[in-house]
Amino acid sequence: AEWIVHTLVDVVAKGGNLEIGYGPMPNGTWPRPVIERLRDVGKWMKVNGEAIYATRPYSTFREGDDVRFTRSKDGATLYLITLKWPGRELRSRLANVSSGDEITLLGVPAKLNWRLDGDTAVITVPDLASKPCDYAWAFRIRHKGGR
């Protein structure tokens, strides 16, 4: 499931679509591992689907090895998706945030604190009892007044 989610995020960030080549066995049943993987991906999509469905590529698709970007069709929302849990802070030079922008972690209702350190956005990641999902985490950046 982790490979599927990471591949999906990477492909969508580049403006593509992903089709996974699973199918039933000759007797018409589905292998249990396939069902479990797809169920896990479905759980991830329930939390993060808005960062995937109907999004567009950003000016660049990645930052470093672990961060990918998508954006809403109107450009008012940027999604920064990290493939590894960032710890207490997530830093991005490419997120292009400005005063008044709101940042949230999908699956967590509270707005996150953030600041600019020169040309780098520094997002304070909340101390959570449990993460909202597994495999990858999407941060929603709503730009004040759109972009």
Side-chain angles (χ1 to χ4, degrees), residues 3 5 23 25 30 44 48-50 58 64 77 80 82 112:
W3 176 86
V5 167
M25 296 187 301
W30 286 79
W44 186 87
N48 299 287
E50 76 175 78
Y58 186 51
T77 304
L80 186 157
T82 181
L112 304 182

Side-chain angles (χ1 to χ4, degrees), residues 8-25:
L8 174 66
V9 168
D10 193 63
V11 168
V12 171
K14 295 173 186 172
N17 298 298
L18 179 65
E19 180 180 342
I20 302 296
Y22 288 133
M25 296 187 301

